[in-house]
Amino acid sequence: MLRLATKFKPEAAAFETAVRAGFQHAELWTDASLLLQGRELARLARQFPLGYAFHFPNRLEQPPEVLHAAVQLYHDLDARAMVLHAPHFVRHGETLLRLDPTLNLAVENHRIESLDAWAAAHPGLALDVEHLWMYGNQHRPLGELLALVRDFLHHHRAKLHHVHLPGYLPGQPEHRPMYCSRDLARGMWDLLVAIDFDGLVVSEVNEEFQNEYELRMDVLLFQHWQAQQQS
């Protein structure tokens, strides 16, 4: 079963909005200061009926105490993945895995020349479908993009731990809700359910869309797709 998630900065109101909209999972945005208050963050998160992943801070240089705090938060949340960018994996991946070899690290694609090379370089992957279409594939029609993803999943499904799936369309702004690109969302869900993907599929949207109406629209789209799968 696919796990639909939203992404937000871990503040009480954002948790409440996600739950009211119908989400059962979330990816939490973090920075160093939030990680260093990880016990309080985890206590807040556990007040809500959500499953979690979280994103490692976007600043490259981080002191050792932040890495220790990230590992602790991973366990306190029983997180499905810790998502990080490739430069952060190069800088901190070895240390994080030395602190805990069981971490499910998911390295996100950004501007990459080859999906296969990116996949080969990392132990776990977070496929950002919007980045894949924006950077280097923006002139491909949707059918070709989905075929590219299908081939990627065939070869690297064992490494895929996490998916970012905003509602992207070429030439449009990034980080919009899934319902803004319904055919992309449905096509990706079809591909992921075919490989029994059990990580989070995240509607990663800008803050302006992080309201109950916009988030609920994504949940309704997902529920409609699920109903069609079962009919």
Side-chain angles (χ1 to χ4, degrees):
M1 179 182 295
L2 295 186
R3 294 175 170 87
L4 187 71
T6 184
K7 181 179 177 182
F8 53 82
K9 186 176 180 179
E11 298 173 342
F15 286 97
E16 292 165 359
T17 298
V19 171
R20 286 199 308 271
F23 279 95
Q24 298 178 354
H25 302 274
E27 177 186 339
L28 304 182
W29 179 93
T30 69
D31 59 14
S33 63
L34 283 168
L35 288 180
L36 292 175
Q37 301 174 60
R39 291 298 174 91
E40 290 79 6
L41 192 164
R43 278 195 289 272
L44 172 63
R46 286 195 295 267
Q47 296 176 30
F48 299 92
L50 296 168
Y52 295 105
F54 71 93
H55 203 296
F56 188 81
N58 287 329
R59 290 191 64 177
L60 182 58
E61 294 303 322
Q62 298 292 343
E65 56 267 29
V66 169
L67 274 64
H68 284 269
V71 173
Q72 184 64 55
L73 181 63
Y74 179 92
H75 290 289
D76 287 346
L77 294 177
D78 193 21
R80 301 192 66 83
M82 184 191 306
V83 185
L84 66 170
H85 296 158
H88 299 73
F89 178 78
V90 171
R91 179 70 179 84
H92 301 297
E94 183 178 349
T95 301
L96 287 167
L97 290 172
R98 188 168 61 248
L99 290 170
D100 186 347
T102 70
L103 291 176
N104 195 3
L105 299 183
V107 182
E108 186 177 346
N109 58 299
H110 196 65
R111 296 179 183 269
I112 58 173
E113 294 185 5
S114 164
L115 272 175
D116 288 331
W118 164 67
H122 304 108
L125 307 173
L127 177 65
D128 189 304
V129 180
E130 180 171 70
H131 288 169
L132 181 62
W133 208 356
M134 285 178 65
Y135 302 128
N137 295 290
Q138 62 268 32
H139 299 301
R140 290 188 184 225
L142 175 59
E144 290 186 12
L145 178 80
L146 292 175
L148 179 66
V149 174
R150 184 182 296 109
D151 184 65
F152 163 79
L153 295 176
H154 175 73
H155 290 97
H156 305 291
R157 59 189 293 175
K159 284 189 170 185
L160 184 64
H161 301 321
H162 196 78
V163 174
H164 284 165
L165 183 60
Y168 182 69
L169 286 170
Q172 297 298 314
E174 60 182 321
H175 291 170
R176 296 192 304 162
M178 288 173 169
Y179 77 86
C180 295
S181 189
R182 290 175 170 84
D183 290 340
L184 171 62
R186 293 190 185 107
M188 279 299 307
W189 294 334
D190 287 344
L191 293 177
L192 292 169
V193 77
I195 64 165
D196 297 321
F197 178 68
D198 65 353
L200 301 191
V201 183
V202 184
S203 177
E204 183 184 25
V205 300
N206 285 332
E207 190 172 359
E208 64 186 289
F209 300 113
Q210 293 177 22
N211 58 74
E212 187 175 348
Y213 171 80
E214 302 283 358
L215 298 184
R216 183 63 180 160
M217 288 289 287
D218 277 357
V219 171
L220 290 173
L221 179 66
F222 183 67
Q223 291 174 340
H224 183 261
W225 171 82
Q226 286 181 312
Q228 290 180 317
Q229 294 286 305
Q230 296 164 5
S231 63

